[in-house]
Amino acid sequence: MAALREVLIFNSKCFRGVRSYFCSSPAFQYSSLSPNNASSNVQKLDFEESDTKRISKAMKSYMERAKIHDNFIKEQLHQYNIGKRHLANMMGKDPEFFTQHDVNEAIRYLFPSGLYDPRARPMMKHPDEIYPKRKAAEFDMNGRPFHSLFYTSKPNYYNLLHDLAVKFKQLDNHEDKMIYRGIQDQQASELFLFGTDWVSKESVESVLLESLTDSQYSNLIKTMERFAQHRYAVREKNFIMQFRHQLAAQTEIQKIPELMRDESNRPFTTFSARRKRSNATVKVIGEGTGLISINGEDILYFKRKQDKEQIIFPLEFCNMLGKVDVVATCEGVGMSGRVGSIRLAIAMCLRCFVDAETIERMRLAGLLSYDPRERERKKPGQPGAREKFTWKKR
Amino acid sequence: MMRYSRTCNIFRVWRRFSSISAESVPVTESITNDIFRTNESNPVNHRVEHNSRFYSISEPVKKQFFAGGGLPKEYQSLSETLNGLCIMVRKPAIELIHYLNKTNFDAPVLRYVLYGKTGVGKSLSLAHIVHYGSSAGFVLVHVPWVPKWFQYVKVATPSSVHANKYDQPIEAVEWLKHFSTQNGHLLDKLELKTSNTYTWSKREVTAEGSPLSELIDLGLNRAKYATGCIVALLDELKKAASSKQCRVLVVIDGFNSFFSRKSNVIREDKSMVLPSDFLLTDALLSLTRNDWNNGAVVVSVDPSAHPPELRESPLPRYLLGKTGFEHLDPFVPIEVQNYNDKEFRSQIDYYIERNWLQQPKARTDNGRAELSFTSGKHPYSLMRLVAPY
């Protein structure tokens, strides 16, 4: 994906007529014939002459805009680099080795923000990350587009699909050859796709520098899917992998804590969890008899049946009901929140006592995921979060 | 039910026993195939071996002793659904029966206080003791639930006997009826007589030497004097017990209500009538004092017998307060706890046998573990957990 992007992003020199990757037909067929030049075979690259005479108003304004944008980006980059050095000086670090991570830390220290959304907080980033990329000039001096598919308005997208079609043909030819030679090549093409998934629409858009509709994106993915299912798709592995991203393994995300031992050599583990403005700290002790203590009281601390069932859920799911002891302390407003936090904490602790298969089952059952639901804010002009006042027609 | 009676018939052992000296008779235990039941329906013979087993109380016995109260309402209706009243023999009751069997009746009366969280089994233990008391030949003075006398008083009138105290005519008549149902035959047998003359009004006099049943009948007929009759009756019983004419067992549920600071009776000047302002309180406090002998006093203290503000702790010292504690001190405290594993198992077996637990999962170990965990082995919580409503 990165390689593809490099090829597509040009610098400002491009509009002087350097041949692009996507240019399918040679430029000289369409180059303007200068009235002074008699021989049409020679490629005339003196745009300077035709510049002043044939350039249209639209082209002129386009060039101006592109120039302004380029200068702007250059200026921003300059500011950014200077700013980085200033920041390094302020923080007492070496300006040469001041990374983006250091910049973020410095900004967070110098401009502490209480704003909720991370995107609203002050930031200092490389201009490339802030300002969206623009396509290089898509047509030459005379307004003729470089790309043959320019008038589809999404040349890069359709070019990609054409490429796929071409590659499909190539793979089919290869397959025919193999069949002709009698070679039964059992190349498993699914293997190299394992643990990866298709990139998202946003990623594709950022590479192609074109916005896609949902149906266009799904069309692309479907085509790639069919392509990847070809018997000899592995020959185009690099091409396909440009459009696939690695899925992070669950085991890497959640690290299971170690089992500790207490004075009587019983294994135990602790976990703190939150739910809805309440939090709980739970200690699950192995080699137990099913005792439970919540803030010093037994299970009847929770009066409602649903609360007791929430607590029993992870223990019963793992068949650990009479096998472990649970000591929990909880605080916070509301029984439901307390109970939810205790349940999550118990489930997280039980991971240390059960095998990997049960952990996966727990994950699928939703026992190990934090429940992010919070009470929705009441809005002005309404009695509640969603409830509206009685609507009167007149 | 048919199958159960048939098994009973195979194993039933008929025995004759002396009601007063129960301890001397050897017990031959007969236990059915079901290990959660016992055939021993005479509580006098209940021992440690019967622990966590259900014994059944027949319908006439239930009507005689508990018609005026004594069984928790929900338990009573559940027993009607499950086709027979069965009470589990548990450690507090066995302990009490053992003590009562071994009491030295020449010494001043011993006070026993059952305590524990609400819903843990105190009232049923007391019901068991009531049944025991009657089988063992005690005269029963049984107050089923004291707060009923103070929280839900129907009518309170200034006392005719005592100037500053209040009567509860309706509650008094109710209680006299309950007393006479429980003890009727025994009183006739014992032929107790009054030792004083009681003048109720110009025309109504209970002469000295008249039978106690006359006193009771007067109270039953004349609500105005019912409370006074109770005072007189309890006084007479104390004297009779001390002079070895009879043996008295006092069983009171919710004793700490006598020392609570609330009742539902308000005077004209909006001041509340405290439980200590009622005549019945005096009568029963006098009876629970250890200034008599040849009897026993078994009392329970429960947080739910107090108004909600005073329910912080189930312990006797907190619930009785300073006055109550000093009144009862010294007493024998007996804690009633949640079910232990054996009792819990037996309770579940009973429910399964009665088809009250119908899920097949209830019969598995997993199911029992779930019930045990969710109810916390608390008797009342378990009953509510498996209830259909």
Side-chain angles (χ1 to χ4, degrees):
Chain A
M1 203 65 168
L4 210 57
R5 183 191 286 224
E6 269 169 35
V7 172
L8 286 171
I9 306 302
F10 295 96
N11 56 25
S12 51
K13 291 198 182 98
C14 172
F15 69 82
R16 288 194 170 269
V18 174
R19 210 151 299 184
S20 74
Y21 172 78
F22 290 106
C23 186
S24 51
S25 47
F28 72 84
Q29 282 183 9
Y30 299 97
S31 66
S32 59
L33 293 166
S34 99
N36 298 331
N37 195 355
S39 58
S40 54
N41 290 332
V42 177
Q43 234 175 290
K44 283 263 178 181
L45 291 177
D46 30 76
F47 292 98
E48 321 297 329
E49 270 186 40
S50 26
D51 240 335
T52 45
K53 285 183 194 170
R54 314 245 334 183
I55 191 163
S56 70
K57 261 215 183 118
M59 196 59 210
K60 196 176 185 184
S61 60
Y62 168 79
M63 271 165 57
E64 269 171 26
R65 264 185 282 125
K67 202 172 183 182
I68 290 167
H69 177 73
D70 268 340
N71 288 337
F72 172 75
I73 293 289
K74 241 199 233 161
E75 178 61 31
Q76 290 297 315
L77 188 59
H78 180 65
Q79 292 284 350
Y80 170 73
N81 286 326
I82 299 233
K84 242 170 85 169
R85 296 189 81 87
H86 275 308
L87 210 52
N89 273 333
M90 270 194 264
M91 300 303 285
K93 299 254 174 74
D94 188 355
E96 300 301 321
F97 300 106
F98 206 59
T99 60
Q100 182 59 41
H101 176 75
D102 295 328
V103 170
N104 294 340
E105 290 287 315
I107 295 289
R108 239 209 308 260
Y109 171 73
L110 292 167
F111 301 99
S113 164
L115 294 172
Y116 179 78
D117 197 342
R119 292 172 300 181
R121 297 176 200 154
M123 63 170 99
M124 186 164 127
K125 289 193 183 157
H126 195 280
D128 282 347
E129 287 171 42
I130 300 177
Y131 301 104
K133 293 258 174 243
R134 287 190 188 188
K135 263 193 195 169
E138 294 165 270
F139 36 80
D140 62 8
M141 281 290 126
N142 305 298
R144 286 197 194 88
F146 293 121
H147 205 300
S148 63
L149 296 174
F150 173 78
Y151 288 107
T152 62
S153 78
K154 287 178 195 185
N156 291 344
Y157 169 72
Y158 287 103
N159 192 69
L160 186 55
L161 288 176
H162 276 286
D163 272 353
L164 270 171
V166 164
K167 286 182 198 290
F168 236 122
K169 272 248 159 64
Q170 286 171 355
L171 289 184
D172 281 340
N173 287 339
H174 179 74
E175 193 178 3
D176 288 341
K177 258 192 247 161
M178 290 289 131
I179 291 168
Y180 182 71
R181 288 196 212 145
I183 303 169
Q184 292 287 318
D185 211 348
Q186 294 288 336
Q187 286 179 339
S189 58
E190 296 93 42
L191 282 178
F192 71 92
L193 291 176
F194 180 74
T196 58
D197 198 10
W198 296 114
V199 292
S200 63
K201 181 158 160 275
E202 286 74 30
S203 306
V204 176
E205 281 178 346
S206 69
V207 168
L208 299 178
L209 292 176
E210 286 158 9
S211 66
L212 303 176
T213 62
D214 286 340
S215 57
Q216 283 174 334
Y217 169 74
S218 68
N219 187 27
L220 173 66
I221 296 299
K222 275 186 208 150
T223 319
M224 298 238 57
E225 189 82 40
R226 276 213 64 189
F227 184 65
Q229 280 164 11
H230 198 279
R231 180 187 273 259
Y232 292 101
V234 80
R235 290 164 65 89
E236 299 288 350
K237 178 176 174 182
N238 290 335
F239 177 74
I240 294 171
M241 291 313 279
Q242 284 169 353
F243 292 92
R244 296 215 34 123
H245 70 91
Q246 197 73 21
L247 289 169
Q250 282 296 323
T251 44
E252 284 163 25
I253 294 171
Q254 284 182 343
K255 289 240 165 67
I256 299 166
E258 290 276 312
L259 268 180
M260 298 169 272
R261 298 252 155 198
D262 63 4
E263 304 92 50
S264 40
N265 208 29
R266 285 168 71 190
F268 76 94
T269 180
T270 327
F271 197 88
S272 297
R274 285 188 300 120
R275 165 102 219 271
K276 233 206 220 188
R277 305 279 175 135
S278 309
N279 43 47
T281 312
V282 165
K283 182 178 174 190
V284 171
I285 311 163
E287 295 163 15
T289 45
L291 295 170
I292 176 150
S293 151
I294 301 160
N295 281 357
E297 301 173 38
D298 63 357
I299 183 96
L300 301 178
Y301 174 85
F302 292 115
K303 311 268 182 307
R304 298 187 297 193
K305 201 192 234 180
Q306 68 198 57
D307 293 340
K308 293 177 220 168
E309 282 176 0
Q310 286 285 293
I311 296 192
I312 208 184
F313 179 24
L315 293 165
E316 219 199 314
F317 193 84
C318 305
N319 285 324
M320 297 292 247
L321 254 183
K323 296 176 191 157
V324 292
D325 293 343
V326 175
V327 177
T329 49
C330 59
E331 56 175 13
V333 189
M335 280 291 150
S336 184
R338 290 185 186 203
V339 144
S341 53
I342 291 179
R343 176 186 122 171
L344 178 59
I346 292 178
M348 289 302 207
C349 287
L350 283 177
R351 288 180 303 167
C352 309
F353 293 93
V354 296
D355 59 352
E357 195 206 317
T358 317
I359 295 177
E360 184 59 25
R361 276 180 57 232
M362 276 212 278
R363 190 185 66 81
L364 290 168
L367 276 166
L368 300 178
S369 17
Y370 169 67
D371 193 339
R373 293 178 294 172
E374 294 251 331
R375 212 193 100 224
E376 198 175 313
R377 186 210 141 172
K378 178 206 172 306
K379 284 100 192 174
Q382 293 174 7
R386 298 289 174 99
E387 191 187 357
K388 315 283 184 287
F389 290 120
T390 317
W391 178 72
K392 292 240 165 63
K393 202 167 180 184
R394 36 191 79 84
Chain B
M1 202 58 205
M2 281 302 291
R3 210 176 65 192
Y4 171 66
S5 1
R6 257 187 268 134
T7 41
C8 271
N9 281 328
I10 296 165
F11 290 106
R12 185 161 291 142
V13 173
W14 293 100
R15 297 166 63 249
R16 297 195 62 198
F17 47 84
S18 143
S19 54
I20 304 262
S21 56
E23 197 70 2
S24 52
V25 178
V27 174
T28 53
E29 191 187 36
S30 48
I31 304 166
T32 58
N33 281 336
D34 317 319
I35 50 169
F36 57 90
R37 281 189 193 275
T38 174
N39 258 339
E40 190 51 75
S41 52
N42 186 359
V44 169
N45 299 324
H46 284 153
R47 301 284 178 273
V48 173
E49 302 85 60
H50 298 98
N51 198 359
S52 83
R53 295 217 176 105
F54 284 88
Y55 86 100
S56 55
I57 296 177
S58 62
E59 199 54 35
V61 167
K62 175 179 158 187
K63 276 214 178 77
Q64 185 187 354
F65 294 115
F66 304 120
L71 293 171
K73 275 212 185 68
E74 285 182 60
Y75 194 85
Q76 192 162 356
S77 62
L78 182 64
S79 67
E80 277 158 30
T81 313
L82 300 185
N83 221 357
L85 175 66
C86 290
I87 295 184
M88 195 198 276
V89 179
R90 292 179 73 197
K91 181 165 168 280
I94 291 172
E95 206 180 320
L96 268 170
I97 290 171
H98 177 70
Y99 294 154
L100 291 170
N101 280 336
K102 287 224 183 305
T103 314
N104 173 14
F105 289 106
D106 294 326
V109 290
L110 268 175
R111 282 84 61 90
Y112 303 93
V113 173
L114 285 176
Y115 70 98
K117 289 188 287 191
T118 311
V120 88
K122 299 186 290 296
S123 295
L124 281 174
S125 298
L126 285 182
H128 191 174
I129 297 302
V130 161
H131 188 195
Y132 160 82
S134 136
S135 306
F138 287 85
V139 172
L140 287 169
V141 176
H142 175 225
V143 183
W145 185 238
V146 176
K148 202 159 150 246
W149 283 356
F150 304 126
Q151 313 284 13
Y152 311 105
V153 185
K154 295 191 181 72
V155 180
T157 54
S159 170
S160 48
V161 170
H162 203 294
N164 295 329
K165 299 286 177 176
Y166 285 83
D167 262 5
Q168 289 144 301
I170 299 174
E171 278 77 30
V173 170
E174 233 177 87
W175 189 80
L176 278 172
K177 214 189 300 190
H178 177 59
F179 178 84
S180 58
T181 324
Q182 283 190 326
N183 296 299
H185 59 286
L186 193 57
L187 282 179
D188 296 331
K189 206 169 78 175
L190 290 172
E191 290 173 11
L192 298 166
K193 305 255 191 281
T194 56
S195 56
N196 282 337
T197 320
Y198 298 101
T199 319
W200 307 111
S201 68
K202 277 194 213 144
R203 285 182 223 133
E204 282 150 345
V205 175
T206 311
E208 190 182 323
S210 49
L212 276 186
S213 48
E214 210 183 284
L215 196 63
I216 298 171
D217 286 334
L218 178 79
L220 285 172
N221 292 324
R222 304 278 283 124
K224 188 173 170 190
Y225 305 124
T227 319
C229 283
I230 293 177
V231 176
L233 174 69
L234 298 183
D235 209 29
E236 293 298 332
L237 282 173
K238 248 174 116 167
K239 288 189 190 143
S242 297
S243 51
K244 292 219 176 8
Q245 288 171 41
C246 66
R247 201 163 273 176
V248 176
L249 178 65
V250 183
V251 180
I252 302 177
D253 200 356
F255 189 74
N256 53 320
S257 199
F258 286 126
F259 307 101
S260 90
R261 287 175 246 134
K262 265 199 182 170
S263 80
N264 71 330
V265 182
I266 303 175
R267 297 187 189 90
E268 278 109 26
D269 59 354
K270 305 284 167 75
S271 63
M272 197 190 289
V273 177
L274 300 175
S276 51
D277 294 334
F278 288 99
L279 196 56
L280 278 178
T281 314
D282 281 349
L284 279 146
L285 289 183
S286 146
L287 193 59
T288 49
R289 221 168 271 131
N290 55 354
D291 51 3
W292 52 290
N293 62 337
N294 205 18
V297 173
V298 183
V299 131
S300 89
V301 292
D302 191 29
S304 64
H306 266 322
E309 313 85 67
L310 287 174
R311 289 181 191 170
E312 241 187 80
S313 164
L315 300 173
R317 174 63 183 86
Y318 171 81
L319 291 171
L320 291 168
K322 188 160 180 288
T323 14
F325 190 80
E326 279 170 6
H327 174 85
L328 274 186
D329 192 33
F331 59 83
V332 178
I334 300 174
E335 192 185 0
V336 185
Q337 293 176 329
N338 285 340
Y339 285 143
N340 60 26
D341 289 330
K342 193 169 162 221
E343 286 169 344
F344 187 82
R345 200 175 174 84
S346 156
Q347 177 68 275
I348 299 293
D349 285 340
Y350 176 71
Y351 281 146
I352 290 172
E353 192 250 15
R354 297 277 88 204
N355 273 330
W356 193 234
L357 288 174
Q358 296 189 334
Q359 294 280 342
K361 195 186 179 192
R363 292 161 201 266
T364 64
D365 278 339
N366 256 348
R368 283 168 197 264
E370 191 183 325
L371 285 167
S372 157
F373 190 93
T374 319
S375 64
K377 294 214 200 67
H378 185 237
Y380 181 67
S381 296
L382 176 63
M383 186 170 86
R384 298 292 297 119
L385 188 67
V386 303
Y389 44 91

